[in-house]
Structure formats: C-alpha cells, structure tokens
Amino acid sequence: MRRLLLTVGMLLMGMALVGGAAVSLVGTSLLPLDQEVGTHASAAGAVLGIGLMAAAVNPAGNVGWVRAGILYGFVVLAFEAGSYYLWRAPFHVGPVFFGLAFSLLLIATYPQRKDLVPSTSKAAPPAIKTPTPTSSKAEPAEEEKD
C-alpha cells in the first residue's frame, strides 16, 4: 500500500509541476496554476516533474529523483519566505503547502528511508584498468584453390 501511495504521490507531484511550468508557455489565459495549484512556472519545474514521473515507476532505484522531490518543498518555502521578507511580495500559501505536503509524503512512504540521506563516507573510486593491446598478427587470408 505504501509503495502504491508513493508512486501515486510522485505522479501527482510531477503532473502538477509540469502543469505549473506549462503556464509560462501558454500564459495566464487558462488558470494561474503556478499560484493556485502550488507550483512555480519554470523550466526547472518541468524537468523536475518529468523526472519524478519517470522515477515513479521504480522509486527505490531512482533515489536521486526522490531526494529532489523532497528538496523542492523546502526550497519553495525558502523562496516564498525570502520573496515576502526581501521584496514584500505576497506570500503564496499554495506552493508552500503543496511542496511541503509532497515532501513529507515522499519521506513517509519511501521504503528505505535511510537511503534518503546520502552516506558521508567517501570511498576511493575504483582504479581504471586500461586493456593492454594484444600483439597478435593478422593471419594471411587463405587462398582459394581451383
């Protein structure tokens, strides 16, 4: 059940991000999706949305996209707070609620939560072995006998 909820959550988050990004291409004639649904219209939002939808097929195998989805919620909170305090722009609750809700959903439903935090141990990269050229001489082609 958690796996299904994780997949559905990633798909919904991805679709909403792509929809919010589409506003920048279409304009505001449809709806102000970026302010009402809770996404900011941008190409980065579209890339994140497409990546999340693709990763929803196998979230455990695409932990980087899950991490990016989680990070989105905290980044949008910082963006809205910074815009409000620095430029006195209106604070939009929709993007903050959307971002944090889906970030928490991804954290709560991810099967291996310990994998969400990258390990701090730095392993040495494996040595690269270059193959040595073989010194085999080309054999002469066999002549056809009539």
Side-chain angles (χ1 to χ4, degrees):
M1 181 64 176
R2 286 176 53 175
R3 166 74 168 90
L4 178 64
L5 190 56
L6 175 63
T7 299
V8 169
M10 288 177 74
L11 285 171
L12 288 174
M13 184 179 186
M15 286 187 288
L17 287 169
V18 170
V23 171
S24 65
L25 296 174
V26 178
T28 58
S29 61
L30 297 174
L31 286 174
L33 284 176
D34 59 333
Q35 301 303 322
E36 300 302 324
V37 172
T39 61
H40 287 284
S42 66
V47 170
L48 178 61
I50 292 167
L52 284 169
M53 288 187 292
V57 175
N58 182 11
N62 296 292
V63 68
W65 284 107
V66 177
R67 289 175 184 154
I70 292 168
L71 183 62
Y72 174 80
F74 300 105
V75 169
V76 79
L77 173 63
F79 177 84
E80 287 294 332
S83 296
Y84 178 76
Y85 287 113
L86 294 175
W87 296 288
R88 300 290 181 222
F91 189 87
H92 299 102
V93 178
V96 174
F97 178 77
F98 173 84
L100 290 178
F102 275 101
S103 292
L104 294 174
L105 176 70
L106 295 180
I107 292 169
T109 58
Y110 194 75
Q112 297 92 15
R113 253 181 245 137
K114 63 179 174 66
D115 292 341
L116 291 175
V117 179
S119 64
T120 57
S121 65
K122 293 185 178 181
I128 299 173
K129 295 182 180 180
T130 56
T132 57
T134 57
S135 61
S136 64
K137 295 180 180 178
E139 297 180 19
E142 294 183 15
E143 296 179 19
E144 292 183 23
K145 295 182 180 179
D146 290 324

